[in-house]
Amino acid sequence: PGVSIRNAAFSFSVLYNHLSRHVVDQDVGANESWNILGSKYEYKANLAGYNTYGAVFIGRYVNRYIVSYEWNSSVKAGINIYKKGMAALYFESTLSYVSQSDKRPDNQYFYYDYSIEPGMVFSGEKGSLNIFGQYQHKNDISKYNGPVEDFFIFGFRYK
């Protein structure tokens, strides 16, 4: 749940999010849960003739159980590189960061994830269709001190 202020160029939101994992969901056999209270700013702009977009999120973990996460933040940026009619080539990237109050097994106090996504979007009156390739570097924070995994994803997205 949250509340937002929007116009054509930007939106600002304040939100609250809950996540819980139960014994049946975990390899470690522990219930863990957390809530995040945060804010998000999203924008769209035309810079030097290129359509750009992005988002910034920052949130504080509250009411944590078992996990020691402190802050969560992310930055997303994208640009339409070339546009012809209803089609556009784009590139976007996201960087996320989670801090915690005690060290992980690898002696760090943080996690970071990132993704890189080139693709093509076809936009129309009823929505848009993306054809994309995406590389993701992910820490599985849904499993406390979980593994780091790398993914290559090719797919379609309809909005």
Side-chain angles (χ1 to χ4, degrees), residues 18-27 29-33 142:
H18 171 77
L19 184 83
S20 61
R21 299 285 187 239
H22 304 282
V23 174
V24 296
D25 300 326
Q26 294 296 313
D27 297 337
N31 293 328
E32 60 188 34
S33 65
S142 67

Side-chain angles (χ1 to χ4, degrees), residues 80 82-89 120-130:
N80 287 347
Y82 177 77
K83 186 172 182 175
K84 180 94 172 167
M86 295 181 1
L89 291 174
M120 180 170 252
V121 61
F122 300 92
S123 299
E125 292 178 16
K126 296 186 178 183
S128 63
L129 174 68
N130 294 45

Side-chain angles (χ1 to χ4, degrees), residues 2-139:
V3 65
S4 65
I5 299 169
R6 299 176 183 269
N7 74 16
F10 78 92
S11 72
F12 178 78
S13 307
V14 175
L15 55 99
Y16 176 82
N17 187 34
H18 171 77
L19 184 83
S20 61
R21 299 285 187 239
H22 304 282
V23 174
V24 296
D25 300 326
Q26 294 296 313
D27 297 337
V28 295
N31 293 328
E32 60 188 34
S33 65
W34 59 83
N35 301 307
I36 297 177
L37 180 61
S39 62
K40 183 177 187 179
Y41 174 77
E42 297 176 285
Y43 74 91
K44 294 177 186 175
N46 189 317
L47 299 175
Y50 293 98
N51 290 330
T52 63
Y53 54 93
V56 176
F57 169 79
I58 186 160
R60 177 79 168 147
Y61 287 90
V62 294
N63 299 331
R64 303 166 300 184
Y65 179 70
I66 293 194
V67 298
S68 63
Y69 306 140
E70 296 280 335
W71 290 95
N72 183 317
S73 58
S74 65
V75 176
K76 176 181 181 177
I79 186 169
N80 287 347
I81 301 166
Y82 177 77
K83 186 172 182 175
K84 180 94 172 167
M86 295 181 1
L89 291 174
Y90 71 91
F91 179 84
E92 78 178 39
S93 185
T94 303
L95 176 64
S96 301
Y97 173 86
V98 174
S99 68
Q100 64 183 63
S101 58
D102 59 351
K103 287 184 183 178
R104 299 177 355 166
D106 61 4
N107 250 358
Q108 294 181 350
Y109 286 96
F110 63 89
Y111 294 91
Y112 69 92
D113 298 331
Y114 60 88
S115 68
I116 299 168
E117 178 181 316
M120 180 170 252
V121 61
F122 300 92
S123 299
E125 292 178 16
K126 296 186 178 183
S128 63
L129 174 68
N130 294 45
I131 301 170
F132 65 92
Q134 186 179 80
Y135 169 75
Q136 292 184 359
H137 175 86
K138 290 280 210 188
N139 289 276

